[in-house]
Amino acid sequence: MGFGLLLCGYFILTFMSFAIGEYTFATYIIGAVVVANAALKLKEYCPRFGMLMAAAGIYIFLGMYDTLNFLDELFLWDVMPTGQTLDFVVAEVRFFAELFFHAMLLWSVMSIAADVEENSIRKKAIRNTILIAVWGAGQLVLLIFPAVASFQNQFFTKLLLLFVMVCYILVTLMLHACFRDICPAGEELYKEPKRSRFAFINKMNDKFDEKSTKALRETIEYSQNKQKEREEKRKSKNSQRKHK
């Protein structure tokens, strides 16, 4: 369906960007391409994911800009424009791009969760939207009041960075819930393996297939049970309305 790819792309854009430091241009481009591909698939089920594709496109543009800057410094081309004003503008574009990306991501998840009546995922998306808004407001405060940003060895800046990491974790868990509960059972979990010329490799693959089949069967049963629960709740609501 696309949530598996979306989860991978989000992980690359967020956690891996922190891990590799100055090479974030690579995670921006790779992660954004993966997210855009996932959004293209999910757009078939919910048109709002089209806006997530646009947000991913901004990340690709930023990644290309960072790539040119990296190559300019590496090969001493000295052709890219520099200056504190430009650096400030690019940093703010990066900040608002991340806010826009999360807004479109959470808006799309809220929409598709409402369509399939997954209220728990919808509530998680609403909660994460509030947290991202708090992060955005905090970042603006640090931007407008530099004294707050530099207070006590940048205490509030570090605290906000920790808060952002918590937001990333919560959004990642939400996307995993989408993959587990919204994704059509088995669509992204199964792929027909190629047979090897070596018997021992085929035996290993067969054992792995048995485990995968068992996991797939459990996923299908879980999905069917969730569907039955939704149908029972819908029937219960309809009967209560008739009695009223």
Side-chain angles (χ1 to χ4, degrees):
M1 184 175 185
F3 278 115
L5 278 176
L6 185 57
L7 178 60
C8 292
Y10 183 80
F11 181 83
I12 295 170
L13 277 175
T14 54
F15 294 104
M16 286 191 67
S17 293
F18 273 92
I20 66 175
E22 62 181 3
Y23 302 105
T24 52
F25 61 86
T27 60
Y28 276 10
I29 295 175
I30 296 172
V33 168
V34 174
V35 168
N37 189 22
L40 181 62
K41 293 183 178 182
L42 289 165
K43 188 182 175 185
E44 299 178 8
Y45 305 92
C46 178
R48 291 182 179 177
F49 279 96
M51 293 300 296
L52 183 60
M53 293 176 61
I58 298 175
Y59 267 107
I60 294 174
F61 173 79
L62 290 171
M64 292 174 64
Y65 175 82
D66 291 342
T67 301
L68 291 175
N69 273 328
F70 175 78
L71 295 175
D72 186 64
E73 293 180 5
L74 181 64
F75 296 107
L76 303 177
W77 291 339
D78 198 23
V79 295
M80 293 294 292
T82 57
Q84 291 184 350
T85 302
L86 179 62
D87 292 342
F88 175 80
V89 171
V90 172
E92 295 314 305
V93 169
R94 204 183 304 274
F95 164 63
F96 284 108
E98 187 165 6
L99 281 183
F100 177 68
F101 173 82
H102 278 92
M104 294 303 100
L105 171 64
L106 296 169
W107 182 47
S108 301
V109 170
M110 273 189 276
S111 178
I112 196 170
D115 290 342
V116 298
E117 297 184 358
E118 282 288 351
N119 291 324
S120 61
I121 294 178
R122 181 174 170 273
K123 290 178 181 178
K124 289 176 183 177
I126 294 173
R127 176 204 62 197
N128 292 338
T129 301
I130 296 172
L131 293 177
I132 293 296
V134 171
W135 163 56
Q139 189 67 39
L140 287 175
V141 169
L142 296 182
L143 176 65
I144 298 171
F145 303 102
V148 177
S150 59
F151 177 75
Q152 290 292 329
N153 196 24
Q154 297 185 332
F155 171 76
F156 290 110
T157 302
K158 294 174 182 177
L159 185 64
L160 187 62
L161 181 61
L162 178 62
F163 182 78
V164 171
M165 293 301 295
V166 172
C167 291
Y168 287 166
I169 292 171
L170 291 175
V171 173
T172 300
L173 292 175
M174 180 199 69
L175 292 177
H176 179 266
C178 291
F179 173 72
R180 183 191 62 204
D181 298 338
I182 298 179
C183 175
E187 182 178 289
E188 294 181 333
L189 297 178
Y190 182 76
K191 187 177 180 181
E192 186 68 31
K194 293 182 179 179
R195 303 298 291 179
S196 172
R197 291 180 295 176
F198 303 99
F200 76 95
I201 293 179
N202 288 329
K203 288 181 180 179
M204 292 175 61
N205 288 337
D206 290 340
K207 289 182 179 179
F208 179 77
D209 272 355
E210 289 178 6
K211 294 181 180 179
S212 298
T213 303
K214 182 181 178 181
L216 177 58
R217 191 182 303 113
E218 292 175 354
T219 303
I220 294 173
E221 291 175 357
Y222 177 83
S223 179
Q224 289 175 343
N225 290 334
K226 293 283 289 184
Q227 183 64 29
K228 289 180 181 179
E229 289 178 5
R230 288 196 292 265
E231 291 177 356
E232 289 175 359
K233 288 181 180 179
R234 192 182 298 112
K235 290 179 181 178
S236 177
K237 288 180 180 179
N238 291 336
S239 63
Q240 288 177 0
R241 290 172 182 172
K242 290 180 180 178
H243 288 303
K244 289 181 180 180

